Amino acid sequence: MDVIDKISVYPNPVKNFCIINLNQQSDIQTLELYNTNGTKVKSVSVEKSETVNLDMSNLETGVYILYADNKVVLSKLIKE
């Protein structure tokens, strides 16, 4: 199963928090969020959870890229 099949993200666009649902068979250990300049703005360790609440309230309005274990999951996560 590919990483993209193991994860879903909503809502998109995001106001303050987004919810990341992981497939039960997911072995994902790290989620990272990058801005369009390629700067990592957030990193979250996944601890055997099927749901991760990602706090984006302190981030600027714009487009972000979500990686799971160094693989692109979502190339257009929009922060309102």
Side-chain angles (χ1 to χ4, degrees), residues 6-7 19-29 31 44-53:
K6 297 178 183 181
I7 195 168
I19 298 168
I20 302 170
N21 284 326
L22 305 173
N23 183 298
Q24 289 179 345
Q25 285 119 21
S26 170
D27 56 354
I28 294 170
Q29 296 178 356
L31 296 169
V44 178
S45 294
V46 178
E47 297 179 12
K48 299 190 184 208
S49 174
E50 291 180 26
T51 304
V52 175
N53 292 317

Side-chain angles (χ1 to χ4, degrees), residues 59-73:
L59 299 178
E60 294 182 19
T61 299
V63 176
Y64 294 87
I65 302 164
L66 180 65
Y67 285 80
D69 293 338
N70 298 318
K71 296 180 184 172
V72 174
V73 174

